[in-house]
Amino acid sequence: MLLFEFEKGFAVFGKYYLPEETVQLAGNDHYVKWVKEGYIIETPGARTDFKYIEDDLKQINDEFPVLELAYDPREATYLINNVMEWIEPDPQNPRVCIEISQGPALMSEPMKEVEAQIYANTRWHNGDPVLTWMMGNVVKKQGRNSGPVKYYYPTKEKAEFKIDGAVSLIMAMSRAMLRAEHGSIYDNMTKEEMIARMTGR
């Protein structure tokens, strides 16, 4: 999930990868449609090929140097180990790859912030149907051991209701909330110009 801050809020652009065997499973017609439309990248075989993701990260980093890359250690350790071999951190920000725990204590505040931005219309994306679907699948659940402070985390009602993109957005927001304010190349762009620049459409 790519998250860009500008003076009016945040612009979000997602890239999604699925193995071809998953795409072709019965009941996954929506995946087939999104692959054809270019919203999902289909990788060969039965497992997602992380080389595709790494190659795309290199290309993105060449044009938009990555400030921070938040990741779930349960899912992406191999990929992150490779990325750390070539990514060049900003001397002022040497920790580019940031491990994010999925527990309610760390996910709650950025989840609330994402929700607030949606209602305030300060979080924009390019009409990406995959992210729209995933955001609609999110169920906000309260942590069992919240104590006096209520902590929430994202979950889903059924296994097939994927929320990976939404979780990635929350993780990115958790880091954005911690960073000092800085300028952005998107500050003087319209919403349409941002979409065109990031998608080439």
Side-chain angles (χ1 to χ4, degrees), residues 131-151:
L131 181 58
T132 301
W133 175 67
M134 289 183 179
M135 293 295 287
N137 291 337
V138 171
V139 175
K140 185 169 74 173
K141 189 170 182 178
Q142 185 175 339
R144 285 180 287 183
N145 299 316
S146 291
V149 178
K150 291 183 179 180
Y151 292 120

Side-chain angles (χ1 to χ4, degrees), residues 57-177:
L57 279 172
K58 287 180 179 178
Q59 183 176 352
I60 292 167
N61 188 62
D62 286 343
E63 187 170 0
F64 308 99
V66 174
L67 296 177
E68 291 186 354
L69 182 59
Y71 70 97
D72 179 352
R74 296 174 302 176
E75 303 291 341
T77 301
Y78 171 78
L79 171 64
I80 295 302
N81 286 341
N82 285 351
V83 169
M84 290 177 70
E85 291 182 1
W86 54 260
I87 200 163
E88 297 182 10
D90 181 338
Q92 303 299 318
N93 180 41
R95 288 185 66 221
V96 178
C97 298
I98 310 293
E99 181 178 313
I100 302 290
S101 167
Q102 304 297 295
L106 292 181
M107 296 293 279
S108 185
E109 287 306 312
M111 183 177 179
K112 293 175 188 176
E113 178 63 22
V114 169
E115 183 179 34
Q117 289 175 12
I118 292 172
Y119 285 119
N121 197 29
T122 56
R123 186 193 62 83
W124 295 342
H125 73 99
N126 62 341
D128 164 6
V130 183
L131 181 58
T132 301
W133 175 67
M134 289 183 179
M135 293 295 287
N137 291 337
V138 171
V139 175
K140 185 169 74 173
K141 189 170 182 178
Q142 185 175 339
R144 285 180 287 183
N145 299 316
S146 291
V149 178
K150 291 183 179 180
Y151 292 120
Y152 298 92
Y153 64 96
T155 186
K156 55 193 176 185
E157 291 184 347
K158 297 181 180 179
E160 61 268 29
F161 293 170
K162 302 303 181 185
I163 62 171
D164 304 77
V167 171
S168 295
L169 172 57
I170 294 168
M171 292 167 63
M173 182 57 63
S174 73
R175 299 306 306 170
M177 291 170 68

